[in-house]
């Protein structure tokens, strides 16, 4: 399978999803001024990290603003549109995952938050590291690349699902299961 080249030039059109045999597609999309996406619904799960810029996600009847560090979680079959702010086009990391990957892992996509997921700085860095590792792994084209891509994408999904769990726990009055601070120095005394 040919390896998708690393995106370096801004584009005015959405990137086409190209799935290798293992069912995980990863790419960067750097938007030029005037970039636009027509409404689309896909037969795969799409996770997008806003690396730079700002805009909105239109999904269903909603329009939710998004900015650097936000994750966009688009369920299988959901009509959506990513819209850039006029003066601040976005750069995105995009991971698309075929349903059979989820089925093989017994992972119900319903555990994922959907729409725009606000990430704190730590979570955004973790998600970005995961996506960059997927991008790197995809370029290796070794006999174990497919297995590693599936494993890394499942890890990414579990991390996002847990972020959603913490958000739900905090919003319903239950104590969050994680102690959040700006850095580990701040968290350690709270933990002790």
């Amino acid at each position: 399978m040919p390896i998708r080249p690393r995106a370096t030039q801004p584009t005015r059109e959405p990137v086409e999803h190209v799935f290798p045999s293992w069912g995980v597609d990863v790419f960067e999309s750097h938007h030029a001024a005037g970039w636009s996406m027509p409404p689309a619904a896909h037969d795969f799960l799409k996770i997008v990290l806003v690396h730079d810029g700002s805009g909105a996600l239109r999904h269903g009847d909603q329009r939710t603003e998004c900015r650097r560090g936000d994750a966009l979680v688009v369920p299988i079959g959901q009509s959506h549109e990513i819209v850039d702010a006029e003066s601040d086009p976005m750069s995105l990391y995009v991971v698309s995952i075929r349903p059979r990957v989820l089925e093989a892992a017994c992972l119900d996509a319903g555990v994922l938050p959907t729409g725009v997921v606000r990430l704190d700085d730590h979570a955004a860095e973790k998600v970005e590291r995961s996506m960059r590792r997927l991008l790197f792994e995809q370029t290796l084209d070794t006999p174990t690349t497919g297995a590693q891509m599936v494993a890394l994408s499942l890890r990414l999904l579990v991390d996002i699902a847990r972020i959603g769990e913490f958000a739900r726990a905090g919003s319903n009055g239950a104590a969050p299961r994680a102690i959040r601070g700006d850095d580990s120095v701040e968290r350690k005394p709270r933990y002790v």
Side-chain angles (χ1 to χ4, degrees):
M1 132 129 232
I3 301 302
R4 184 190 294 269
R6 182 181 167 111
T8 55
Q9 298 298 317
T11 179
R12 291 183 184 270
E13 298 175 7
V15 175
E16 182 180 339
H17 298 271
V18 179
F19 284 93
S21 60
W22 51 80
V24 178
D25 179 38
V26 185
F27 60 88
E28 296 178 70
S29 180
H30 301 284
H31 301 175
W35 181 92
S36 68
M37 172 187 173
H42 304 296
D43 61 350
F44 50 83
L45 173 67
K46 185 158 81 170
I47 309 292
V48 178
L49 180 70
V50 180
H51 174 68
D52 204 11
S54 62
L57 174 66
R58 289 188 189 142
H59 53 103
D61 295 333
Q62 299 179 19
R63 177 187 163 106
T64 308
E65 300 300 314
C66 59
R67 63 184 182 278
R68 178 178 171 79
D70 287 342
L72 316 178
V73 180
V74 182
I76 297 165
Q78 183 176 58
S79 179
H80 68 287
E81 182 180 356
I82 297 172
V83 181
D84 284 355
E86 276 189 43
S87 61
D88 196 17
M90 292 189 279
S91 290
L92 310 172
Y93 293 117
V94 181
V95 179
S96 301
I97 304 167
R98 290 274 186 212
R100 64 185 168 81
V101 173
L102 304 173
E103 291 164 8
C106 299
L107 179 62
D108 176 7
V111 302
L112 294 166
T114 60
V116 176
V117 180
R118 305 280 181 218
L119 303 176
D120 63 28
D121 291 343
H122 175 73
E125 286 175 23
K126 185 175 186 177
V127 168
E128 183 171 339
R129 274 194 311 274
S130 294
M131 290 185 161
R132 292 189 66 75
R133 181 144 185 228
L134 279 160
L135 281 164
F136 171 73
E137 184 66 35
Q138 182 173 256
T139 66
L140 297 180
D141 197 24
T142 70
T144 59
T145 296
Q148 184 72 319
M149 292 292 292
V150 168
L152 291 170
S153 64
L154 290 172
R155 176 62 187 260
L156 172 66
L157 291 178
V158 169
D159 287 344
I160 290 173
R162 289 194 173 156
I163 289 165
E165 287 174 9
F166 294 143
R168 284 189 298 276
S171 68
N172 67 13
R177 291 181 286 182
I179 299 169
R180 296 191 188 265
D182 291 337
D183 59 28
S184 59
V185 173
E186 183 180 327
R187 287 192 308 263
K188 184 177 175 184
R190 288 183 184 176
Y191 176 76
V192 172

